[in-house]
């Protein structure tokens, strides 16, 4: 039985197979519409979510399966003090696979150790968000035609942004990628990712503060919001929250085929006037999230589709 805690839990070959499957699901949805009949997905969300929880649920429903779960710690027995370890033992009796989001780093890993069903990390604190990374990789590969040979700018809250941490880990396995880390000093990429992932893999990267300085070189711009829920005080958040605002004027500095991605939700960091720019693909990215989660459910449940 396989779990997904981290993008590196999948080899490059497994990842490529999963992305191929997601592309086939997109092209031939009816082929998969009964493939999980009789199977149940549990979504255990101890933190708020729109995309991840609902795209997981849409994915299972599209596969002909059923869904159950909770969308906040308060509406589960966690509010009475139940541990994640006990909860997963119970959920293992009710479902065939589960996706868990938790504010504590490592909570889904703890659950996976006590689970008799596959556990998917749907975001743990400021640590990892591997299924967002699968979504990002599918978006990039589908729209750029390749994973590799590009310059990507990662902009915003690189300190607390778990989507950025997971994406960097996944991308260092592909050739000829140049990273431009765009953040205010206080929200720089954590040392462990810079040292253990970028430097250890001899990865080319540079750090800049001004988005305008980076934009002309980029093939991909990955915007992120400032993670309000991870700040220790409101004042720091307010000072940082509008540090970057991508607008039409700034988009003039970018290449004509640069793509703008964002895991969403967006707050102010991308002006809504950018939404109509053909380079803005963040809503399409959210759609890819359904296909890739369908592919992941099929893969972890080892369902063969003829
Ligand atoms: N991208 C993402 O994780 O969005 P949600 O928080 O809405 O799930």
């Amino acid at each position: 039985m396989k779990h997904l805690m981290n993008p590196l839990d999948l080899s490059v070959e497994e990842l490529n197979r999963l992305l191929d499957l997601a592309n086939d699901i997109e092209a031939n949805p009816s082929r998969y519409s009964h493939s999980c009949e009789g199977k149940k997905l549990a979504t255990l969300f101890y933190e708020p979510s729109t995309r991840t929880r609902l795209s997981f649920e849409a994915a299972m429903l599209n596969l002909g399966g059923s869904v159950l779960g909770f969308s906040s710690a308060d509406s589960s027995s966690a509010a009475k003090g139940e541990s994640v370890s006990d909860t997963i033992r119970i959920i293992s009796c009710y479902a065939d696979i589960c996706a868990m989001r938790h504010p504590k780093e490592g909570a889904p890993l703890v659950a996976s150790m006590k689970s008799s069903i596959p556990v998917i990390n749907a975001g743990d604190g400021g640590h990892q968000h591997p299924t967002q990374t699968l979504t990002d990789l599918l978006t990039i590969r589908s729209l750029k035609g390749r994973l590799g040979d590009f310059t990507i700018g990662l902009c915003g809250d690189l300190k607390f942004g778990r989507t950025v941490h997971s994406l960097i880990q996944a991308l260092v396995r592909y050739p000829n990628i140049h990273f431009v880390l765009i953040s205010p000093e206080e929200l720089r990429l954590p040392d462990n990712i810079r040292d253990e992932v970028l430097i250890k893999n001899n990865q080319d990267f540079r750090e800049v503060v001004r988005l305008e300085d980076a934009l002309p070189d980029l093939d991909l711009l990955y915007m992120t919001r400032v993670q309000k829920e991870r700040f220790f005080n409101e004042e720091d958040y307010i000072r940082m929250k509008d540090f970057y605002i991508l607008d039409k004027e700034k988009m003039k500095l970018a290449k004509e085929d640069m793509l703008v991605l964002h895991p969403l939700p967006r707050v102010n960091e991308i002006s809504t006037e950018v939404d109509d720019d053909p380079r803005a693909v963040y809503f399409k990215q959210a759609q890819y999230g359904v296909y890739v989660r369908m592919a992941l459910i099929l893969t972890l449940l080892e369902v063969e589709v003829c």
Side-chain angles (χ1 to χ4, degrees), residues 70-236:
F70 52 82
S71 58
S72 72
D74 288 349
S75 64
S76 77
S77 284
K80 302 176 206 162
E82 186 167 58
S83 68
V84 158
S85 300
D86 282 359
T87 301
I88 196 66
R89 287 182 179 196
I90 303 305
I91 299 301
S92 295
C93 306
Y94 303 158
D96 301 283
I97 186 166
C98 96
M100 176 184 286
R101 170 170 290 188
H102 202 286
K104 278 200 187 138
E105 298 189 0
L109 180 64
V110 169
S112 71
M113 291 168 179
K114 299 287 181 190
S115 180
S116 54
I117 59 173
V119 177
I120 300 166
N121 178 2
D124 60 332
H127 187 218
Q128 295 281 343
H129 193 347
T131 64
Q132 181 63 49
T133 297
L134 299 181
T135 302
D136 302 337
L137 296 179
L138 181 65
T139 306
I140 295 169
R141 200 185 77 160
S142 301
L143 301 182
K144 274 280 175 210
R146 62 186 189 278
L147 284 172
D149 300 313
F150 52 67
T151 298
I152 180 166
L154 301 154
C155 178
D157 185 349
L158 308 189
K159 181 177 179 181
F160 296 117
R162 58 193 174 197
T163 62
V164 168
H165 305 161
S166 291
L167 184 58
I168 291 174
Q169 281 202 328
L171 284 178
V172 294
R173 300 192 291 181
Y174 294 92
N176 198 26
I177 296 184
H178 307 278
F179 292 89
V180 187
L181 308 175
I182 309 157
S183 76
E185 194 64 32
E186 291 97 319
L187 298 178
R188 283 172 63 188
L189 195 70
D191 288 347
N192 67 314
I193 308 275
R194 193 172 35 254
D195 298 347
E196 296 299 318
V197 182
L198 290 173
I199 294 175
K200 203 170 174 179
N201 286 285
N202 293 319
Q203 198 63 53
D204 177 79
F205 74 95
R206 67 188 169 104
E207 295 182 284
V208 302
V209 173
R210 277 168 44 87
L211 176 57
E212 294 87 331
D213 294 341
L215 266 171
D217 297 331
L218 304 180
D219 302 301
L220 296 160
L221 171 60
Y222 193 90
M223 293 295 292
T224 63
R225 88 187 151 91
V226 176
Q227 304 276 303
K228 182 179 182 184
E229 62 275 33
R230 316 264 177 244
F231 274 71
F232 294 113
N233 71 67
E234 179 89 6
E235 269 172 39
D236 285 348

Side-chain angles (χ1 to χ4, degrees), residues 258-305:
M258 184 194 79
L259 299 181
V260 184
L261 289 88
H262 192 311
L264 305 178
R266 147 184 63 190
V267 187
N268 285 329
E269 61 280 357
I270 302 179
S271 166
T272 53
E273 68 187 21
V274 176
D275 295 355
D276 295 331
D277 189 308
R279 294 170 289 183
V281 296
Y282 28 90
F283 292 116
K284 185 149 185 55
Q285 186 181 352
Q287 176 65 54
Y288 280 120
V290 178
Y291 305 133
V292 92
R293 289 183 175 99
M294 289 171 75
L296 181 64
I297 291 168
L298 291 172
T299 302
L300 294 182
L301 288 178
E302 299 178 9
V303 175
E304 295 289 336
V305 179

